[in-house]
Amino acid sequence: MTKISPEVEIRMPMEAFPPVSADVSFISNSFPKYKLDVDNQVLEEPVEDNLGPSLKDVIEQEAFNLSDQHKRISVRDLASKFDKNLAAAAKLSNEAKLREVASLEGHVLLKKLRDALESLRGRFAGINKEDVEKAISMVEALAVKLTQNEGELIQEKFEVKKLVNFLKQASEDAKKLVNQEKSFACAEIESARAVVLRIGEALEEQEKASQASKPQDVDGLIEEVQEARRIKLLHQPSKVMAMEYELRALRDQIREKSIFSIKLQKELTMSKRDEENKSRLYMLDGSEALGSYLRVQPCSAEVPQVSKCSFQWYRLSSEGSWREVISGANKTIYAPDPSDVGRILQVDIVSNGKKLTLTTDPIQTVSGLGSHVETLLRKSNTDFNVVISQMNGKDHSSHSTHSFNVGRMRIKLCRGWITKAREIYSPSMQLCGVRSDIANAAKALFWQARKGLSFVLTFESERDRNAAIMVARKYALDCNVVLAGPDDLV
């Protein structure tokens, strides 16, 4: 038997429902659809997402594109790409902020809805009350799901902020690199223009000089030809041949006498040096050849130690008539420079007010160095691996390997894409062997790129150091610049 109850219409007063704020905004125009599971779990029905890929997919795709294009895009394209990604990240950040506001408004709306349902639960009974309680459980489940979504939103917001900061820093670095390369390119262009102008002026001067000297050369040749004809007419052929034989004999005698004289001079110098070494208190230790270094050492323990003496090295002229001060060479150690080959070196030792001078034989070259330098000169530029020992007179803390690039127009010192110095050959540039008592002095050189910027560079071998000096001096001489050490006579 079925019990039928009459339909009762219940009118609720308007004040029973709390008002909803009018300025609440929603991300979508319709309320999401939910359904209740068997365990009273709220399940959201899948809807089509028209907002595009998720934030994680966008970040992974952009990271993959950046790593894929890093080796084949230019610096300017890289800066433009960073700017575009920065704008996209800012847009994603704004969208995350809108989602955060929408999540906050969703919490407010769910709270108001739950309060309204709680007020209704006390007014209904039976099936209606069960429906109200079911709705309240669904609202609570929605609140829990909204809290979970809010946590995911906070994580996405953190990732977006991290991506924005990374792209900002990368964009600034790319812009700095573009400006640096632009300035270097402008300097290269200006130097190339200056070299072209100098070459043009030199060609014009050479052409004018050749045009001015051409008539004089022709007149001189005519006079010589006429004089030769006159001599031929005055003398018989037999007498001319006899005079030629006599001249050849005289030349041979003069050559023999000069060779004998040079031999006597060398023997006399060696004998004097042996006599001086017998009474000397100090001696030079080391090979008197390029690629090694000379060290002043006491001959006995009774003489003053070298730490209490002062030193000054000199470079004698080829004739031995005068000597040149080697500026900065005032230590116990001196590594010969390629310009010292064939020259005699001297060092003055002052101790307790007394002066003593030690002299070397002519500095010998290294076999195979000349052919190696000729091979390097066939290239447009040559790279050497170096370590910066000192910078501007102070010890350098880093011992990383740098590239010392010697080109036809300039010298460049860099590590990867970081450039320490890049200068064209100019009168202010200096290059010579190191003149201090640092370790591996035979492998080190002193390079002043410009006034206020100098380096002491240590090469991998003595051969590389000497080859770099000789190649750089040859290229600089082609640009009408003489590379030498501080205060050297050029």
Side-chain angles (χ1 to χ4, degrees):
M1 180 176 180
T2 304
K3 183 177 180 181
I4 301 175
S5 60
E7 295 182 359
V8 180
E9 181 180 0
I10 300 175
R11 296 182 177 271
M12 298 298 297
M14 296 300 294
E15 58 271 14
F17 298 93
V20 180
S21 176
D23 58 352
V24 176
S25 62
F26 302 94
I27 298 178
S28 62
N29 296 328
S30 60
F31 197 84
K33 297 180 179 180
Y34 299 92
K35 63 180 180 179
L36 199 63
D37 197 5
V38 293
D39 296 332
N40 292 329
Q41 296 290 332
V42 178
L43 300 178
E44 183 179 355
E45 293 185 359
V47 295
E48 295 183 357
D49 189 5
N50 296 326
L51 298 179
S54 64
L55 179 61
K56 293 183 179 179
D57 295 337
V58 172
I59 294 173
E60 292 178 357
Q61 184 64 28
E62 291 298 330
F64 176 76
N65 292 337
L66 285 177
S67 62
D68 184 39
Q69 297 179 3
H70 181 267
K71 294 184 179 180
R72 55 189 178 87
I73 60 178
S74 64
V75 177
R76 192 179 300 276
D77 294 338
L78 185 60
S80 176
K81 186 68 176 178
F82 279 133
D83 292 337
K84 292 179 180 179
N85 291 337
L86 186 60
K91 184 178 179 182
L92 290 175
S93 178
N94 294 332
E95 292 179 359
K97 290 180 180 179
L98 293 176
R99 291 181 183 179
E100 184 177 1
V101 172
S103 175
L104 180 61
E105 293 176 353
H107 278 291
V108 174
L109 183 60
L110 288 175
K111 185 177 182 305
K112 291 182 179 181
L113 181 59
R114 188 179 183 282
D115 293 340
L117 292 174
E118 287 289 342
S119 63
L120 288 175
R121 184 170 61 176
R123 298 176 182 272
F124 291 103
I127 298 177
N128 293 331
K129 186 174 181 180
E130 292 178 357
D131 293 338
V132 172
E133 291 178 352
K134 187 176 181 180
I136 290 174
S137 63
M138 291 181 66
V139 169
E140 291 176 351
L142 286 175
V144 173
K145 189 171 185 66
L146 186 60
T147 303
Q148 294 177 355
N149 293 336
E150 187 176 4
E152 295 179 357
L153 181 62
I154 291 173
Q155 181 65 24
E156 291 182 356
K157 184 179 178 181
F158 174 73
E159 293 179 357
V160 167
K161 286 184 178 179
K162 186 167 67 174
L163 179 62
V164 168
N165 294 331
F166 171 74
L167 291 175
K168 281 183 179 179
Q169 184 64 32
S171 179
E172 292 176 359
D173 294 342
K175 289 179 180 179
K176 290 181 181 179
L177 185 59
V178 168
N179 294 330
Q180 185 181 10
E181 292 297 330
K182 184 178 180 181
S183 62
F184 286 155
C186 291
E188 291 284 350
I189 292 172
E190 292 297 331
S191 63
R193 288 178 179 174
V195 171
V196 170
L197 290 176
R198 288 201 301 267
I199 293 175
E201 293 176 356
L203 290 176
E204 290 180 358
E205 293 178 358
Q206 184 178 3
E207 186 177 358
K208 291 180 181 178
S210 62
Q211 291 178 357
S213 61
K214 187 175 180 179
Q216 298 178 0
D217 295 340
V218 172
D219 295 338
L221 290 174
I222 292 174
E223 291 178 359
E224 290 180 0
V225 170
Q226 291 177 353
E227 183 68 18
R229 289 178 178 176
R230 188 179 65 84
I231 293 174
K232 186 177 180 180
L233 292 174
L234 290 176
H235 300 279
Q236 296 180 0
S238 58
K239 293 183 178 180
V240 174
M241 293 178 64
M243 292 175 64
E244 289 180 354
Y245 288 139
E246 291 178 1
L247 287 174
R248 290 178 183 175
L250 290 174
R251 288 173 183 170
D252 294 337
Q253 292 179 5
I254 292 172
R255 188 180 298 108
E256 292 176 358
K257 295 292 184 182
S258 62
I259 293 173
F260 184 70
S261 175
I262 292 172
K263 185 177 180 180
L264 288 177
Q265 288 179 359
K266 289 183 178 179
E267 292 178 355
L268 181 62
T269 303
M270 292 178 64
S271 63
K272 288 181 179 180
R273 190 172 300 157
D274 293 338
E275 292 177 359
E276 292 175 355
N277 289 334
K278 292 179 181 179
S279 60
R280 282 180 179 173
L281 304 178
Y282 298 91
M283 61 178 293
L284 288 175
D285 183 25
S287 177
E288 298 175 351
L290 192 63
S292 63
Y293 63 88
L294 302 172
R295 182 192 296 272
V296 178
Q297 290 187 349
C299 295
S300 63
E302 299 176 356
V303 300
Q305 297 297 321
V306 293
S307 60
K308 299 179 181 179
C309 303
S310 61
F311 304 88
Q312 180 59 57
W313 292 81
Y314 297 88
R315 184 184 296 119
L316 271 66
S317 63
S318 57
E319 299 84 5
S321 58
W322 55 273
R323 63 181 187 174
E324 171 191 353
V325 177
I326 304 177
S327 179
N330 51 13
K331 305 295 181 181
T332 58
I333 294 178
Y334 178 74
D337 188 88
S339 59
D340 297 328
V341 174
R343 308 281 290 274
I344 297 175
L345 301 180
Q346 285 186 347
V347 56
D348 288 347
I349 307 171
V350 178
S351 175
N352 297 329
K354 298 181 180 179
K355 181 179 178 182
L356 178 65
T357 302
L358 300 180
T359 307
T360 68
D361 290 331
I363 301 300
Q364 303 296 323
T365 185
V366 182
S367 61
L369 181 61
S371 59
H372 178 59
V373 171
E374 290 179 358
T375 303
L376 296 179
L377 288 173
R378 296 190 186 101
K379 305 177 182 178
S380 59
N381 57 73
T382 306
D383 287 317
F384 299 94
N385 294 327
V386 298
V387 174
I388 300 178
S389 301
Q390 294 181 2
M391 182 174 179
N392 293 330
K394 298 180 180 179
D395 293 338
H396 199 262
S397 59
S398 175
H399 297 285
S400 57
T401 302
H402 291 66
S403 175
F404 186 67
N405 183 272
V406 181
R408 296 185 181 275
M409 305 300 299
R410 54 101 183 102
I411 296 179
K412 176 182 177 183
L413 178 64
C414 63
R415 180 168 66 89
W417 58 270
I418 301 175
T419 301
K420 293 284 186 180
R422 175 165 51 183
E423 297 293 333
I424 62 172
Y425 297 111
S426 63
S428 62
M429 183 180 291
Q430 296 178 358
L431 184 70
C432 65
V434 70
R435 297 176 180 178
S436 59
D437 55 352
I438 67 170
N440 298 323
K443 298 181 181 180
L445 62 76
F446 170 80
W447 177 46
Q448 176 178 299
R450 60 176 183 274
K451 291 184 179 179
L453 182 61
S454 62
F455 301 91
V456 173
L457 306 176
T458 302
F459 288 71
E460 293 181 343
S461 64
E462 296 85 355
R463 181 187 184 187
D464 288 347
R465 174 254 203 182
N466 296 322
I469 294 176
M470 297 174 69
V471 171
R473 287 176 177 173
K474 179 62 174 66
Y475 287 155
L477 191 61
D478 294 340
C479 297
N480 297 325
V481 176
V482 179
L483 282 184
D487 300 329
D488 284 353
L489 298 177
V490 294

